[in-house]
Amino acid sequence: MTEKLTLTSPADLLAYIPHLLGGTPTESIVVLTATAGALGATLRVDGPMDTAPLGFAQTVTSLAAQDENATACYLIVYTDETSTDARFPYAAHVAALGNELATARMPVRKVYLVTSTHWAAYGSTERNPLDQIKDSNANATLTFRGSAPNVDVYNPALLGKWVEPVQVPVRTEESIEEARREWGTVLETPGMPDRESARQLAAWFQDNYIRDFLMADVITTNNGVIIDILLGKFDGCPDWKRVDHAEIIAFELMKVVPEGQRAPMLTLMGWLQWLKGYGKHAERYLKLAVEDAPGYRFAELLHELIGRVYIAEVAKNQETAYKRPTS
Amino acid sequence: MGTEYILTEDDKPAPGASFLENVIELQLLTAGESLGPVDFTHPQEHHDF
């Protein structure tokens, strides 16, 4: 059942965003779509940097238009970039975005600014403390319901420093079948694999060809077409609990291999985050993958694709999109 | 047992090849400009605002 959350103030609205995005944005622009009296989709893009205002605004508007029900929106600028005018960061981009969103029949109701020290109505001289967001009713309610905005599977402190490398297996028809069978069993079994199983799985992930199968096998609603699987176009809603489980297992596998062999699992984690609609988290994992194994091609390519404002198909549709678990 | 994926003769992999990597390379040919990663989520509660 869908629970009701009443947001009565700007602080409530600003508190709600980290719960949806899995963290407080930085150097970003967020568009919150809305209908009469209710909020819709949340879109976050990186701050525009050197991008021309009109092109930026058109791209962001086309992404926001994925919410076909939206009739209005809110803009939130997250930045510490106040070198020109502290009240109007990214002024040309915000203005262009306002025009484009209005043209797309999603006029902007309000614009807010959030820095690392305060928040304000965009263009005003006020400097409201961030504690107002933290102490808001919305934050308290969402936290009470079990939502944690900063839950992170990846914890580098848990990764071993002195671990023997795994031997990359010889790829045969039989080994592919065995790898997929073992991976399927682990995905369907609560808890974590034992160390020996984890090292065997981590070894299979080192082979690019087998890795591709193992990644695709996380999604049981796939249609067997590789391009669809990669881009998140599935037959129905994925088993998101299985996806969450796969992400945790991927981190477990990272614990049993040394640096230089963790990239396949980091890439899997990045892809899964992207499927969930979290492009920023995906980018982080993919960067870590390339740091772990410089030149790791899959992570580099996926990073480039995601950086071109690609949204996974499954994340666009509210019926199939990820639902974050609550405790 | 996992899904039987559809691979044509042309999809037969070379040693070390990755079909997912090849798919991304093709996708990049028609991808838009680089503005960085995007987050896109939907409400999980009904909101009054």
Side-chain angles (χ1 to χ4, degrees):
Chain A
M1 179 174 163
T2 304
E3 294 187 80
K4 186 173 177 180
L5 177 69
T6 300
L7 309 175
T8 58
S9 68
D12 278 340
L13 184 79
L14 298 175
Y16 167 67
I17 292 168
H19 286 273
L20 273 175
L21 297 180
T24 303
T26 56
E27 298 306 325
S28 300
I29 290 183
V30 168
V31 180
L32 260 174
T33 66
T35 56
L39 295 175
T42 306
L43 169 71
R44 188 217 59 84
V45 296
D46 285 355
M49 306 299 283
D50 299 327
T51 312
L54 181 59
F56 175 81
Q58 288 172 336
T59 302
V60 172
T61 300
S62 69
L63 295 170
Q66 301 287 337
D67 181 359
E68 296 174 353
N69 299 320
T71 56
C73 65
Y74 296 85
L75 278 187
I76 302 97
V77 180
Y78 290 87
T79 186
D80 283 323
E81 177 52 60
T82 54
S83 54
T84 49
D85 186 331
R87 292 180 301 154
F88 297 101
Y90 300 126
H93 296 83
V94 171
L97 203 43
N99 288 335
E100 290 299 316
L101 287 164
T103 303
R105 299 179 187 278
M106 290 182 282
V108 178
R109 287 180 183 163
K110 294 278 185 188
V111 185
Y112 297 104
L113 170 68
V114 180
T115 74
S116 60
T117 57
H118 67 278
W119 72 271
Y122 188 83
S124 75
T125 55
E126 63 192 35
R127 293 173 70 88
N128 303 301
L130 296 178
D131 277 351
Q132 287 182 357
I133 300 173
K134 195 176 84 178
D135 297 338
S136 67
N137 285 333
N139 192 43
T141 303
L142 287 165
T143 304
F144 177 75
R145 290 180 186 170
S147 171
N150 295 310
V151 172
D152 198 350
V153 170
Y154 179 76
N155 181 352
L158 298 177
L159 297 174
K161 293 229 180 277
W162 309 107
V163 187
E164 281 287 305
V166 290
Q167 191 73 35
V168 180
V170 175
R171 187 200 315 149
T172 62
E173 292 287 333
E174 292 73 28
S175 68
I176 294 170
E177 286 302 312
E178 186 185 355
R180 296 180 68 192
R181 193 167 51 246
E182 289 296 319
W183 178 234
T185 301
V186 167
L187 287 176
E188 286 162 17
T189 307
M192 293 298 118
D194 60 35
R195 183 179 172 81
E196 189 182 340
S197 300
R199 278 180 61 82
Q200 182 61 62
L201 279 169
W204 278 319
F205 264 102
Q206 306 303 312
D207 181 280
N208 293 346
Y209 189 71
I210 297 177
R211 174 207 62 202
D212 289 357
F213 278 106
L214 300 183
M215 287 180 65
D217 283 345
V218 174
I219 308 297
T220 49
T221 52
N222 79 58
N223 60 10
V225 180
I226 290 301
I227 190 167
D228 285 351
I229 297 167
L230 178 77
L231 300 178
K233 193 173 182 181
F234 307 136
D235 291 342
C237 186
D239 179 349
W240 286 117
K241 282 185 180 172
R242 179 180 170 99
V243 172
D244 282 339
H245 192 42
E247 199 176 333
I248 295 169
I249 293 169
F251 183 66
E252 284 297 306
L253 303 191
M254 287 172 59
K255 292 180 185 174
V256 297
V257 294
E259 287 179 10
Q261 290 194 326
R262 295 168 182 159
M265 285 74 81
L266 283 163
T267 305
L268 169 62
M269 293 167 78
W271 180 60
L272 296 178
Q273 284 289 320
W274 180 66
L275 293 180
K276 293 177 181 179
Y278 301 139
K280 197 67 179 176
H281 290 312
E283 179 190 53
R284 173 180 166 234
Y285 285 135
L286 296 171
K287 282 181 175 174
L288 286 168
V290 176
E291 282 174 21
D292 182 70
Y296 194 68
R297 186 163 167 257
F298 193 7
E300 287 180 339
L301 290 168
L302 193 54
H303 182 222
E304 187 174 349
L305 184 70
I306 290 173
R308 297 205 197 178
V309 294
Y310 245 85
I311 300 173
E313 293 294 325
V314 69
K316 292 178 181 174
N317 183 339
Q318 186 169 6
E319 300 304 314
T320 59
Y322 180 67
K323 310 286 187 299
R324 66 183 188 281
T326 53
S327 56
Chain B
M1 184 61 201
T3 310
E4 290 299 321
Y5 298 104
I6 300 163
L7 296 175
T8 67
E9 275 303 307
D10 291 339
D11 296 323
K12 290 284 185 187
S18 156
F19 41 76
L20 289 181
E21 290 170 6
N22 294 339
V23 164
I24 300 177
E25 282 204 319
L26 286 174
Q27 204 65 29
L28 282 171
L29 294 176
T30 56
E33 63 178 318
S34 184
L35 286 183
V38 174
D39 296 320
F40 191 79
T41 63
H42 298 272
Q44 299 186 24
E45 304 85 5
H46 175 75
H47 308 91
D48 282 340
F49 188 66

